[in-house]
Amino acid sequence: MFAPLDHITWMRRAIVEADLARGRTGDNPWVGCVVVDEAGVLLGQGHTQGPGEDHAEMAAFRQADQRGLSLAGATLYSTLEPCSFHGRTPACSRVIVDRKIRRVITGMRDPNPPRLPSPRARHPPARGLGLDAPVTLALPRATVPLEEK
């Protein structure tokens, strides 16, 4: 178990998870996700699957569901800002709100313009959804595992 607010440690774990998707996602980016409860307990983790299959967030949610764990009030760490449009799969940002995730920490904002508007614009905390404003975490270069196997 990691400290509940140890963002760098949890994001490193999401990066390691993303590396599992390397070369297996077709035209989707390699993304990793971990979901942690308020006490710092890992609820689920996952990475992007092939085209039309689960994004990292959904894979992490499925793992938590299989373990019978609630995601309400949890913090989600994703290496890339969750998508906010329905393409081959439903919008991850909508599911994040529906699952009552409290905080979203991302490694980087989605640079792909078709993915806009972002979850920040579509689901602002001011709408009374109970979601804290998403935070993009700037990691020191030394924390990113490059070829760690």
Side-chain angles (χ1 to χ4, degrees):
M1 176 167 56
F2 300 114
L5 299 177
D6 188 357
H7 297 320
I8 291 176
T9 299
W10 287 114
M11 186 58 73
R12 280 181 57 104
R13 188 153 180 170
I15 291 168
V16 169
E17 188 70 28
D19 196 46
L20 298 174
R22 183 184 299 250
R24 298 184 176 119
T25 63
D27 61 348
N28 290 333
W30 312 332
V31 179
C33 177
V34 296
V35 183
V36 182
D37 74 9
E38 294 173 4
V41 175
L42 178 67
L43 301 174
Q45 61 188 16
H47 56 274
T48 304
Q49 304 299 303
E53 298 180 59
D54 283 345
H55 287 188
E57 299 87 347
M58 299 309 297
F61 294 170
R62 285 187 200 289
Q63 188 179 79
D65 290 346
Q66 289 169 353
R67 297 171 60 203
L69 302 173
S70 170
L71 299 173
T75 297
L76 180 144
Y77 294 87
S78 180
T79 58
L80 180 66
E81 179 179 30
C83 68
S84 59
F85 74 102
H86 192 127
R88 292 179 290 218
T89 61
C92 292
S93 61
R94 181 75 258 161
V95 178
I96 288 168
V97 170
D98 292 346
R99 298 298 292 265
K100 299 183 179 7
I101 299 291
R102 184 172 156 253
R103 182 180 298 120
V104 176
I105 309 290
T106 63
M108 68 178 285
R109 299 205 53 193
D110 191 341
N112 191 347
R115 304 315 194 239
L116 300 176
S118 75
R120 298 173 204 289
R122 291 181 53 127
H123 308 299
R127 281 183 146 172
L129 297 172
L131 176 67
D132 289 353
V135 174
T136 300
L137 182 64
L139 291 177
R141 288 179 75 69
T143 67
V144 179
L146 298 176
E147 293 299 323
E148 197 173 275
K149 294 283 181 198

